[in-house]
Amino acid sequence: MAVFRVECNKGYTVVSNHHLRNKDLTLKAKGLLPQMLLLPEDWDYTLAGLSRINRENIDAIREVIKELARAGYIVRSRKSDEKGRLRRADYVIYEQPHTEPMPDLPTLENPMQVKTMLENPMQLKKIYKN
């Protein structure tokens, strides 16, 4: 099989090969990720906006975004207003999967100890007489 290489001097993007080698990603995900990485930071990353610059509809784009999020390439954080209402979601797009560390659970300064066994456990005994 012949391989043709084109010399590129401008108008190209350099991205990590990690997602291209990831066998768990679909071809759509492998194509959408570098496209999202090359868009400017101030671009409006909405499903409608991504759908407008691609041939796929909003539902198809949504599924690819979910796939990339499950794989760790996209991390979403929700922002609420002072009344607790959801106002927006921020997305961080990574070239390689990113996993958030689990937050440490709060610990009490003087933890309360609970006895799990009684010192003198009662023994139930049933006597059956015939």
Side-chain angles (χ1 to χ4, degrees):
M1 173 168 150
V3 175
F4 297 95
R5 300 203 185 268
V6 179
E7 185 177 331
C8 298
N9 295 325
K10 61 180 181 176
Y12 64 96
T13 302
V14 178
V15 293
S16 170
N17 288 330
H18 186 276
H19 71 282
L20 296 173
R21 293 186 177 128
N22 187 340
K23 292 181 180 180
D24 295 330
L25 293 180
T26 62
L27 285 173
K28 285 183 181 181
K30 290 178 181 184
L32 186 62
L33 180 63
Q35 183 183 44
M36 292 174 73
L37 288 168
L38 74 85
L39 292 170
E41 266 188 51
D42 60 346
W43 195 79
D44 184 21
Y45 285 88
T46 61
L47 296 174
L50 290 169
S51 178
R52 272 194 295 275
I53 62 173
N54 290 293
R55 200 175 82 181
E56 276 69 32
N57 61 25
I58 290 175
D59 293 332
I61 298 290
R62 179 182 294 113
E63 290 306 312
V64 175
I65 296 292
K66 286 180 185 177
E67 176 186 352
L68 289 169
R70 281 190 304 269
Y73 291 96
I74 296 176
V75 175
R76 180 177 75 170
S77 62
R78 294 178 177 217
K79 302 295 179 188
S80 303
D81 63 8
E82 57 279 346
K83 293 182 180 179
R85 295 177 295 195
L86 180 64
R87 286 295 167 201
R88 70 174 209 228
D90 288 339
Y91 292 87
V92 180
I93 305 163
Y94 295 96
E95 287 185 339
Q96 294 190 12
H98 182 77
T99 56
E100 290 285 326
M102 291 296 290
D104 293 334
L105 295 175
T107 58
L108 300 173
E109 289 181 14
N110 297 319
M112 194 168 37
Q113 293 183 0
V114 178
K115 290 185 180 180
T116 56
M117 294 184 61
L118 298 173
E119 289 179 7
N120 296 320
M122 287 178 34
Q123 198 170 29
L124 295 178
K125 189 174 185 182
K126 289 187 176 183
I127 301 174
Y128 295 100
K129 293 184 181 181
N130 290 345

